[in-house]
Amino acid sequence: MLRSMWWRKPRTVTFWTDLSPDTCLRQLREQTDQAELTIFSFSGCKGSKAVLSTSDGHEFKLWKRRYYHNSFAPILFGILEAQSRGTLIRGHFDMHRPVKLFMMIWLGFATLIGTPLILQTLAGDMHGDNWVGLIVPPALVLWGILLPEFGRWMGRSEERYLLEFLETTLVARPYLDALPVEAQELDNRPLG
């Protein structure tokens, strides 16, 4: 679980395709629905295709259409880089920046307000239900850590789905598999 914590470095992927960047963008637009919000859809976006997208120049975002709200589900942020005989597709999985920023603010606020409250409770300066001062601040911090992890767990199959979608739609393959053996960086350490 610690390996997947939301504040850690996102998982990166690199693919190669023989298609040009413009062809890749055209394919992505044809195979996805553009993320246009509407109130007349259970998913919140127009269309019915399984993958939603946005693009700006050679940058794109892909995420799976879902019929429930999950701000912490993975989104594939990618960029298409033209090469001499094809396109290098670099991407990483992460959540939207506003969601990440909100969670950082949440944790900072809970820590900033909670620490003095706990210290006052332990010093005995507060009266009444002292247990509230000991339980609530750590619970708010724990909630700020576990809620994004639960959201990522709910969307655990979406990363694999998006990678398979990218491979199929752009006729792409993992970057190292696309290179000839002599061009690959090989691990030349002895076994054992």
Side-chain angles (χ1 to χ4, degrees), residues 158-184:
E158 294 180 21
E159 281 187 23
R160 185 178 61 248
Y161 182 88
L162 290 171
L163 290 176
E164 289 172 2
F165 172 82
L166 195 66
E167 287 180 30
T168 304
T169 304
L170 302 182
V171 193
R173 53 202 178 276
Y175 181 61
L176 283 179
D177 292 348
L179 291 176
V181 173
E182 58 272 3
Q184 294 181 19

Side-chain angles (χ1 to χ4, degrees), residues 8-15 75-78 89-94 152 159 163 166 174-175:
R8 296 187 187 271
K9 187 176 179 181
R11 175 181 172 207
T12 59
V13 293
T14 308
F15 286 94
I75 298 169
L76 177 61
F77 294 85
I89 306 162
R90 296 184 191 274
H92 68 277
F93 285 98
D94 209 351
R152 285 188 59 157
E159 281 187 23
L163 290 176
L166 195 66
Y175 181 61

